[in-house]
Amino acid sequence: MNGALDGVRIIDVSRVLAGPFCSMILGDLGADVIKIEHHESGDETRGWGPPFAQGESAYYLCANRNKQSMTLNLKSEKGKEIFRKLVSSGDIVVQNFKTGTLEKMGIGYEELKEFNPQLIMASITGFGLTGPYKDLPGYDYIIQAMSGLMSITGETDGSPMKVGVAIADILTGLYTCIGILSALHHREKTGEGQEIDISLMDCQVSSLVNVASNYLFNGITPERMGNQHPNIVPYQTFHASDGELVVAVGNDEQFRRFTYVLERPDLAEQEQFKRNENRLLNKEELIPIVEDLLKRKTKKEWKMLLDDAGIPNGPINTIAEMLEDPQIKARNMLVNMEHPTVENLRVTGSPLKLSKTPVTMRKHPPLYGEHTDSILAGMGYKPDEIIKFKQNKII
């Protein structure tokens, strides 16, 4: 069965995470992805370890399945010629060079669309193609700091904290996918390609959602709240008798049911707790009561009781515990792949469950330059030409 993007060719000259994560998702959906890597060093994440498995870093393996790897010297004239030829038969270019880099090399969007007017180019940068910061490099950590995300992450009396994964990169990869799919739809109707200008900073600011909205409404600078919610109570971590769990009471009816589970239905009748807005104002009184009640049973006991009552809750799992969760297994979120050097390669699965065009794990994360020769041969280059490319450090 063909994927939803079967027949779409992506030339991916991005590296690290945001761009490769985006192109991997599109590859999962059936697109043909050619990953262009530096002819001497390759994607930086190949060296980001340990851990390594038979020379391949776990970091690289997490974002590069369903691709072919081709090395190419984009600073050489012959390398640019090969790149333009690839682009002329492709649909999408994904790139995350600093602003203006490809233009200086003569292979920016304006130049490339002369070879392929229907070309869609997704240009990922730290701060965007315009604005006073457009020429600055942007790494996920810097973006988490500058976007305000770190200022609202961490304990109230602690230091600002970054999120445990490179969340700005991941969000940017997802937003880039949305932009590319929208551009493909537009091209289907009009025949026009376009450039997508997308930045880590913009994506992270957009993801502040209700926290930014709160400030825009009341002008009060949001502060770190640890594991509490700025608008909903009770909605945080609590201690059971044997560890921590999260309870997320999303509305007044849920709170009423929650109090019955706690065997304190009187709490839902008290005026200061009856409605969420009042619970928010009086949380300093309510939270210690709930905390004390939850300490009377284990996490497993509360899980059963709260699930039966329809109260959103869950244990705080380690990564190992999460991967053993029966729900994760049932949803195929852990996938085994064959790999030429890595034994028992396991990767996280795709959250996209399409009924007619399911995602597929067709290709292992490629070895460095694994498909250079075959791609060039498919473009019409002869074996002796490919040998000369290697001798002249074109590939």
Side-chain angles (χ1 to χ4, degrees):
M1 185 180 295
N2 293 331
L5 296 182
D6 180 59
V8 174
R9 168 167 279 194
I10 298 169
I11 314 300
D12 182 7
V13 287
S14 69
R15 64 264 184 231
V16 185
L17 189 54
F21 186 68
C22 166
S23 62
M24 182 182 74
I25 294 171
L26 300 175
D28 288 351
L29 290 167
D32 173 28
V33 182
I34 297 177
K35 181 180 179 70
I36 304 294
E37 301 192 64
H38 191 278
H39 67 293
E40 293 179 336
S41 56
D43 190 321
E44 296 97 305
T45 62
R46 288 184 180 275
W48 285 10
F52 292 99
Q54 288 76 52
E56 299 292 296
S57 76
Y59 201 117
Y60 167 79
L61 292 170
C62 82
N64 286 286
R65 65 176 176 251
N66 284 333
K67 302 178 188 180
Q68 301 176 77
S69 172
M70 173 183 180
T71 61
L72 192 61
N73 181 358
L74 290 175
K75 291 185 177 180
S76 69
E77 289 306 313
K78 192 64 180 181
K80 293 174 187 177
E81 177 188 309
I82 294 171
F83 183 65
R84 293 186 186 105
K85 190 172 181 180
L86 269 174
V87 169
S88 67
S89 62
D91 297 285
I92 299 153
V93 170
V94 178
Q95 66 97 2
N96 64 350
F97 288 92
K98 285 179 62 177
T99 301
T101 299
L102 291 185
E103 286 75 11
K104 291 176 183 177
M105 296 165 64
I107 49 175
Y109 173 68
E110 293 299 324
E111 292 82 9
L112 292 178
K113 74 177 184 179
E114 297 298 319
F115 296 88
N116 183 353
Q118 293 190 320
L119 178 67
I120 295 166
M121 176 180 277
S123 296
I124 302 170
T125 57
F127 297 96
L129 302 182
T130 59
Y133 299 161
K134 65 182 178 64
D135 296 319
L136 297 178
Y139 279 71
D140 176 274
Y141 202 165
I142 305 303
I143 299 303
Q144 288 199 42
M146 294 183 65
S147 67
L149 178 63
M150 287 179 63
S151 76
I152 60 171
T153 306
E155 295 297 334
T156 304
D157 56 354
S159 298
M161 296 290 290
K162 69 179 181 69
V163 178
V165 296
I167 192 66
D169 278 333
I170 295 302
L171 289 169
T172 300
L174 293 172
Y175 272 112
T176 305
C177 281
I178 295 170
I180 287 172
L181 295 175
S182 299
L184 280 171
H185 183 64
H186 172 78
R187 192 182 73 176
E188 184 69 21
K189 294 189 297 181
T190 67
E192 297 176 330
Q194 60 182 299
E195 184 174 22
I196 302 165
D197 170 10
I198 191 159
S199 82
L200 274 69
M201 186 69 158
D202 293 350
C203 293
Q204 190 60 73
V205 169
S206 174
S207 75
L208 294 176
V209 289
N210 62 294
V211 176
S213 185
N214 287 350
Y215 173 77
L216 293 172
F217 270 70
N218 61 27
I220 299 173
T221 300
E223 298 179 352
R224 290 183 297 283
M225 299 187 66
N227 290 317
Q228 295 186 3
H229 194 285
N231 301 100
I232 310 172
V233 174
Y235 200 103
Q236 62 181 78
T237 57
F238 290 99
H239 286 87
S241 63
D242 62 344
E244 291 183 282
L245 74 159
V246 171
V247 178
V249 178
N251 56 54
D252 295 336
E253 171 57 23
Q254 286 183 3
F255 181 70
R256 185 188 67 79
R257 297 200 305 271
F258 182 48
T259 62
Y260 273 87
V261 175
L262 295 176
E263 298 180 351
R264 283 292 308 275
D266 60 292
L267 292 174
E269 301 304 320
Q270 296 179 31
E271 197 60 38
Q272 69 268 36
F273 303 143
K274 186 178 295 186
R275 284 176 289 276
N276 180 70
E277 60 189 278
N278 294 332
R279 293 195 294 275
L280 187 61
L281 292 173
N282 296 286
K283 67 178 181 179
E284 300 302 328
E285 179 183 355
L286 177 62
I287 295 305
I289 297 173
V290 174
E291 182 85 65
D292 183 62
L293 292 168
L294 288 172
K295 287 179 180 178
R296 300 177 182 181
K297 297 182 189 298
T298 66
K299 291 186 294 182
K300 185 175 182 179
E301 288 173 323
W302 284 124
K303 178 68 175 167
M304 294 176 61
L305 291 168
L306 293 170
D307 284 351
D308 287 345
I311 308 300
N313 74 99
I316 300 176
N317 287 331
T318 64
I319 301 299
E321 290 169 335
M322 175 275 292
L323 291 174
E324 290 300 317
D325 191 295
Q327 181 68 16
I328 299 303
K329 294 179 178 180
R331 298 288 290 174
N332 296 317
M333 286 307 296
L334 185 61
V335 178
N336 293 303
M337 296 191 71
E338 293 186 1
H339 191 279
T341 63
V342 180
E343 295 181 5
N344 302 316
L345 175 61
R346 297 193 301 169
V347 297
T348 54
S350 172
L352 301 171
K353 316 296 185 186
L354 283 71
S355 63
K356 298 296 183 181
T357 53
V359 302
T360 54
M361 310 297 173
R362 306 175 309 284
K363 299 183 179 74
H364 62 265
L367 301 175
Y368 175 56
E370 180 179 352
H371 305 94
T372 302
D373 289 9
S374 60
I375 292 171
L376 288 171
M379 296 171 66
Y381 291 103
K382 306 299 183 185
D384 59 333
E385 292 180 286
I386 296 174
I387 292 172
K388 288 181 180 179
F389 291 159
K390 293 176 182 178
Q391 293 172 341
N392 296 325
K393 297 184 178 180
I394 304 302
I395 57 176

